[in-house]
Amino acid sequence: MATEMALVKPISKFSSTSSTPIFSNSRYGKFATVRMSSTSQPTTKTASKGGKKAAKTAIKETLLTPRFYTTDFDEMEALFNTEINKNLNQSEFEALLQEFKTDYNQTHFVRNKEFKEAADKIDGPLRQIFVEFLERSCTAEFSGFLLYKELGRRLKKTNPVVAEIFSLMSRDEARHAGFLNKGLSDFNLALDLGFLTKARKYTFFKPKFIFYATYLSEKIGYWRYITIYRHLKENPEYQCYPIFKYFENWCQDENRHGDFFSALLKAQPQFLNDWKAKLWSRFFCLSVYVTMYLNDCQRTAFYEGIGLDTKEFDMHVIIETNRTTARIFPAVLDVENPEFKRRLDKMVEINEQLLAVGETEDIPLVKNLKRIPLIAALASELLATYLMPPVESGSVDFAEFEPRLVY
């Protein structure tokens, strides 16, 4: 779950917090440890051996920040109870389980000396941009791990096959998060993921919203990774850090996860076949696409650093994700309408003005007064985009299981 879909990123629960961090910081003893919290105060740690200091500003809790989510696990158990839900296609889930058990990427995430050597060559603003990329990506993957792990535990008696798939997906997400955290060690940093589990605020999402959001998150993650990988393969002069070489296989994990959520949605026709499903489908498409676009437009230096035009990249990812999503969602946005991009760009302008207000030295009251018309303008653009004529698309009645990719 590699994207930074902060508005709807479906990722976690309260009850699986462990007293022992999933990834022990003892592995990174000589590096500064970054503890991300809901404050904006800088946290400084001194490396125990190198004598270097790393000052980090903790991520602020905003609409564009990767978040942790919890859900109604009792309802989840009812949805996957084969005695209650006769729509569950166990043979399809069993086939998916065999796919996950194969574990194509078991030996894929193996680092080499290129990582540290490349990181040492990245300096100036681009270095900080890479650190932020690794931090946010690691947080998103780790939060996916937490949610899937808990679902695997809670569904073990109700539906062992589905439970095992969730457990294997948590394996994938943990592997991704660990790989990204090791990437941070190349920059003499590491995320304290145990602290992160306990300290972050959790937002409640009903199961059907988890399905919509996670399906989109996994599929948009696939298109982001494969697009970056193909671009850098064609333009190796921009291959400034070796993590991108792993994206081709990595994105197949995202694709498999998305296929599983497609199967879950088909097993719950009430989430796909009525007018409310069409409204919610469009809402989550809008939330995910807008969040990615606004996030990325704040970080154009990162994409320029690897030779991409940020807006062109995002629109390509949005269009491809939307086409994929149309195979299962009953309605999607008309993202190929030029009006859609025009409104996205307008939202970027408004968001930049909001950020500028936050950076002024005005007192909080004055800042809030200045924000009011900008927030109203942003809400107006969001509503207008949502109300654009949608594209009627797939449904549980005719959406076929997506074809498997060759790994």
Side-chain angles (χ1 to χ4, degrees), residues 140-154:
E141 297 286 356
F142 181 66
S143 56
F145 156 75
L146 291 174
L147 176 64
Y148 297 158
K149 180 185 176 185
E150 183 67 4
L151 284 168
R153 185 183 72 83
R154 291 291 294 265

Side-chain angles (χ1 to χ4, degrees), residues 4-284:
E4 301 171 9
M5 303 302 108
L7 290 178
V8 295
K9 188 68 176 147
I11 13 197
S12 198
K13 52 20 171 172
F14 291 109
S15 57
S16 68
T17 300
S18 169
S19 59
T20 302
I22 305 300
F23 301 94
S24 172
N25 288 317
S26 62
R27 291 160 37 190
Y28 306 105
K30 67 179 180 179
F31 302 115
T33 299
V34 182
R35 289 192 167 192
M36 296 163 65
S37 67
S38 60
T39 68
S40 60
Q41 296 300 315
T43 58
T44 304
K45 295 280 183 178
T46 304
S48 60
K49 290 186 179 180
K52 296 180 180 180
K53 289 186 178 181
K56 292 297 299 171
T57 301
I59 288 181
K60 297 178 182 179
E61 293 286 352
T62 70
L63 281 177
L64 299 183
T65 304
R67 297 186 178 198
F68 284 10
Y69 287 81
T70 184
T71 190
D72 185 335
F73 291 102
D74 291 332
E75 183 182 342
M76 280 285 192
E77 289 183 56
L79 290 173
F80 294 109
N81 189 318
T82 54
E83 295 181 2
I84 298 174
N85 186 355
K86 303 302 181 182
N87 293 305
L88 293 170
N89 186 341
Q90 286 299 109
S91 61
E92 184 173 23
F93 290 132
E94 287 169 1
L96 279 164
L97 176 58
Q98 293 307 311
E99 185 82 358
F100 279 98
K101 280 184 174 180
T102 303
D103 196 4
Y104 297 97
N105 288 332
Q106 183 177 10
T107 60
H108 179 61
F109 295 96
V110 179
R111 287 162 50 86
N112 54 47
K113 64 178 183 179
E114 285 185 54
F115 282 81
K116 183 60 178 173
E117 292 174 354
D120 289 342
K121 294 177 182 177
I122 301 174
D123 54 18
L126 187 59
R127 185 176 180 87
Q128 178 56 36
I129 290 166
F130 262 84
V131 167
E132 184 178 334
F133 161 74
L134 291 169
E135 284 178 353
R136 295 176 68 90
S137 299
C138 182
T139 303
E141 297 286 356
F142 181 66
S143 56
F145 156 75
L146 291 174
L147 176 64
Y148 297 158
K149 180 185 176 185
E150 183 67 4
L151 284 168
R153 185 183 72 83
R154 291 291 294 265
L155 298 174
K156 191 171 291 184
K157 292 182 179 179
T158 305
N159 194 319
V161 173
V162 170
E164 189 171 359
I165 294 175
F166 274 118
S167 295
L168 293 174
M169 289 202 304
S170 74
R171 170 205 67 194
D172 295 341
E173 302 290 290
R175 188 178 285 158
H176 300 166
F179 195 65
L180 287 158
N181 212 5
K182 286 182 179 178
L184 278 168
S185 72
D186 297 325
F187 296 85
N188 299 329
L189 295 164
L191 280 180
D192 185 340
L193 296 174
F195 171 82
L196 190 64
T197 304
K198 300 173 184 178
R200 292 300 291 274
K201 296 178 181 178
Y202 292 76
T203 302
F204 178 84
F205 260 18
K206 290 177 66 65
K208 69 176 179 180
F209 300 153
I210 293 289
F211 292 164
Y212 294 140
T214 307
Y215 173 83
L216 278 165
S217 177
E218 299 289 1
K219 287 301 183 181
I220 207 168
Y222 166 79
W223 281 110
R224 285 173 67 86
Y225 279 165
I226 197 62
T227 302
I228 291 173
Y229 174 82
R230 289 170 177 169
H231 161 72
L232 292 176
K233 189 175 181 180
E234 293 178 2
N235 303 277
E237 66 274 17
Y238 290 106
Q239 188 77 256
C240 53
Y241 187 63
I243 199 168
F244 303 116
K245 296 179 182 179
Y246 291 75
F247 275 14
E248 183 179 34
N249 286 44
W250 190 332
C251 74
Q252 305 304 350
D253 284 343
E254 310 292 327
N255 205 42
R256 275 187 288 272
H257 296 180
D259 287 346
F260 173 57
F261 275 96
S262 176
L264 294 184
L265 281 165
K266 288 193 290 181
Q268 311 295 337
Q270 70 275 21
F271 297 162
L272 292 174
N273 279 356
D274 61 15
W275 63 271
K276 289 184 290 186
K278 292 183 177 182
L279 295 178
W280 282 118
S281 294
R282 290 161 53 199
F283 170 80
F284 278 95

